[in-house]
């Protein structure tokens, strides 16, 4: 039986797994990735540690399957940003989605650039997380670093270079540079020039189902492979989750991790016709796009609450607390924008808050309101899809948040649609494996592979009473989002030291 080796680099954990042609994860190792932060808002991974973590995990599982691994396929987070010098040495850490330092240039950016033109080209609304903003921030705040940039890498092109010696990336990761033409799935020369860099500073692009090269012999030897195997580019982690959870046609998927997404695979690059940039559309594979959106603040808000407010509780405790109170949390509404948001109606300068807090509210109300607030944020995306003629009938949830018994039901009630749990916690690994086995010819297409690979668990039906209640709370949430936008900007100005 053939196997593929799947590397998934997330913002929190690195996973390495062996998946067989029936979609079973037969061996897996996971390691928590160190995140380096400072008071200025940095949130970086150490590139050397990332590579060392991969070698460590590989040495644990590869030797047992050394003769059965057909290829290595990569998955990783979007928004990774790593400038390197001409000696291929990092000039910074691997800057992640959670790094907020480039918020400081957003007002200047919006004054100098046509956000509408950029959105129509790239599918990316104005936000501080994109590579374009990171480049402009470096140019302004760290000009000595900017001057020494030889190549700009993302999380996958960093690993591809270390594995093969090639500077190659793929469109689903490149979509969050704000330098990619979403229609052609290739770099946009005009935007690159506006950024003040050269095209040769960016990795060469190949489709996610393409082979970059063979793994270098010295790397193969180090991790226990007897031969050099092909390295497939794969797609970004959220895109792989769409594949691994069956996000086709009228079925959307929602990953409840550190961040969260609400997306489906679509046959064209859909852009929001309202002019509000509510949809973030990314390239996925040739003639296939991931449409919908994502929120910066999901599990990160729950972690913050556990670590700073509900001390002594764990995730299970928090779920039990949330189940003690009814829908609507007795009028308490959480605006969970701790790290700003990608939706420009909320904005990069947004902050978190609880609205309607009274002496009668308890930890249980606070906990449930966080789950609901994240649900309202995701519902902004669902409503935007509907208003752009994408009508979804089902939702599949995955990620660590799907372990909850209360959160999927809250989402079913807010979205007013059936919600089904993904049976496996490894939908990203499964999605990449589906892609790999399809490309080596074991399956005709992804849909055929999905019939074997995709497994689903418990389903939650909308509660009509809660649906009606949440409609009112969501309407209020949406109105407040509009009211808060300018206040976030003013607060950012007056809060500066």
């Amino acid at each position: 039986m053939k196997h593929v080796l799947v590397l998934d680099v997330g913002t929190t954990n690195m996973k390495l797994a062996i998946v067989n042609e029936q979609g079973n994860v037969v061996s897996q190792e996971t390691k928590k990735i160190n995140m380096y932060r400072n008071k200025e808002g940095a949130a970086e991974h150490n590139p050397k540690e990332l590579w060392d973590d991969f070698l460590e995990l590989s040495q644990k599982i590869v030797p047992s399957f050394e003769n059965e691994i057909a290829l290595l396929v990569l998955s990783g987070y979007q928004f990774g940003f790593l400038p390197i010098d001409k000696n291929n040495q990092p000039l910074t850490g691997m800057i992640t989605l959670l790094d907020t330092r480039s918020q400081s240039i957003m007002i200047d950016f919006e004054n100098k650039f046509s956000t509408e033109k950029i959105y129509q080209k790239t599918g990316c609304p104005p936000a501080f997380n994109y590579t374009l903003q990171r480049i402009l921030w470096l140019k302004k705040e760290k000009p000595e670093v900017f001057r020494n940039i030889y190549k700009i890498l993302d999380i996958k092109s960093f690993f591809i270079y270390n594995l093969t010696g090639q500077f190659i990336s793929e469109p689903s990761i490149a979509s969050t540079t704000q330098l990619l033409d979403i229609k052609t799935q290739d770099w946009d020369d005009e935007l690159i020039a506006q950024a003040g860099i050269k095209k040769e500073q960016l990795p060469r692009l190949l489709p996610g189902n393409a082979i970059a090269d063979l793994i270098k012999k010295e790397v193969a030897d180090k991790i226990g492979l007897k031969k050099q195997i092909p390295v497939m580019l794969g797609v970004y982690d959220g895109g792989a989750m769409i594949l691994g959870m069956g996000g086709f046609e009228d079925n959307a998927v929602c990953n409840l991790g550190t961040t969260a997404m609400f997306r489906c695979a679509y046959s064209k690059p859909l852009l929001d016709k309202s002019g509000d940039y509510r949809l973030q559309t990314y390239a996925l594979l040739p003639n296939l796009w991931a449409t919908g959106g994502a929120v910066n603040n999901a599990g990160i808000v729950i972690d913050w609450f556990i670590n700073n407010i509900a001390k002594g509780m764990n995730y299970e405790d928090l779920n039990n607390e949330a189940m003690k109170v009814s829908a609507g949390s007795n009028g308490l509404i959480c605006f969970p924008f701790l790290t700003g948001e990608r939706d420009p109606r909320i904005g990069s300068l947004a902050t978190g808050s609880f609205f309607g807090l009274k002496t009668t509210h308890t930890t249980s109300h606070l906990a449930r309101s966080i789950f609901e607030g994240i649900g309202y944020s995701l519902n902004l995306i669902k409503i935007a899809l509907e208003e752009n003629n994408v009508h979804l009938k089902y939702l599949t949830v995955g990620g660590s948040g799907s372990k909850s018994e209360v959160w999927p039901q809250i989402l079913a009630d807010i979205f007013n649609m059936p919600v089904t749990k993904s049976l496996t916690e490894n939908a990203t690994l499964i999605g990449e494996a589906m892609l790999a086995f399809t490309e080596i010819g074991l399956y005709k297409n992804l849909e055929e592979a999905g019939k074997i690979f995709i497994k689903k668990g418990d389903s939650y039906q909308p509660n009509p009473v809660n649906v009606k209640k949440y409609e009112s709370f969501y309407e209020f949430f949406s109105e407040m989002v509009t009211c808060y936008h300018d206040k976030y900007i003013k607060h950012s100005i007056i809060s500066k030291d």
Side-chain angles (χ1 to χ4, degrees), residues 215 324 340 396:
I215 190 170
K324 293 178 182 179
T396 303

Side-chain angles (χ1 to χ4, degrees), residues 79 131 204 206 250 261 291 310 336 339 365:
F79 299 97
T131 296
R204 179 164 59 97
L206 292 175
D250 55 3
M261 70 167 184
T291 194
T339 64
H365 295 101

Side-chain angles (χ1 to χ4, degrees), residues 6 8 15-19 23-30 237 240-241 243-245 398-400 402 422-434 453 455:
V6 185
D8 175 31
K15 297 179 182 178
L16 190 68
I18 306 287
V19 184
N24 298 314
V25 177
V26 297
S27 184
Q28 179 181 329
E29 292 287 340
T30 302
D237 51 6
M241 185 166 283
L243 303 180
M245 292 166 59
S400 58
S402 67
S422 175
L423 196 60
T424 176
E425 298 177 17
N426 298 305
T428 295
L429 303 176
I430 295 303
E432 300 289 7
M434 285 169 55
F453 282 54
K455 301 175 179 66

Side-chain angles (χ1 to χ4, degrees), residues 35 48 69 221 295 302 309 316 404:
M35 181 74 77
K48 183 179 184 304
I69 300 173
D221 292 342
V295 298
I302 295 169
I309 308 298
E316 184 177 355
S404 168

Side-chain angles (χ1 to χ4, degrees), residues 83-91 138 142-152 201:
I84 63 173
D85 64 20
K86 62 182 179 181
N87 297 314
N88 301 327
Q89 295 301 306
L91 291 166
L138 274 184
K142 297 180 181 291
E144 72 286 355
V145 173
F146 178 80
R147 284 194 299 269
N148 287 307
I149 294 176
Y150 170 62
K151 293 284 185 183
I152 295 171
Q201 290 177 286

Side-chain angles (χ1 to χ4, degrees), residues 293-311:
V295 298
N296 293 347
N297 300 279
I300 189 174
V301 184
I302 295 169
D303 289 343
W304 165 82
F305 186 70
I306 289 173
N307 293 333
N308 296 280
I309 308 298
K311 294 183 178 180

Side-chain angles (χ1 to χ4, degrees), residues 24 43 65 111 145 161 195 199 206 262 274 290 317 436 474:
N24 298 314
F65 296 88
N111 287 335
V145 173
Y161 173 73
K199 190 172 183 178
L206 292 175
F262 188 103
S274 75
D317 296 332
Y474 169 74

Side-chain angles (χ1 to χ4, degrees), residues 325-333 361 364-370 372 376 469-470 473:
V325 297
S326 61
S329 302
N330 192 25
L332 184 63
I333 300 176
H361 288 125
S364 299
H365 295 101
L366 290 165
R368 187 179 184 97
S369 73
I370 290 173
E372 292 172 338
Y376 299 144
K469 185 179 289 189
Y470 279 133
F473 279 111

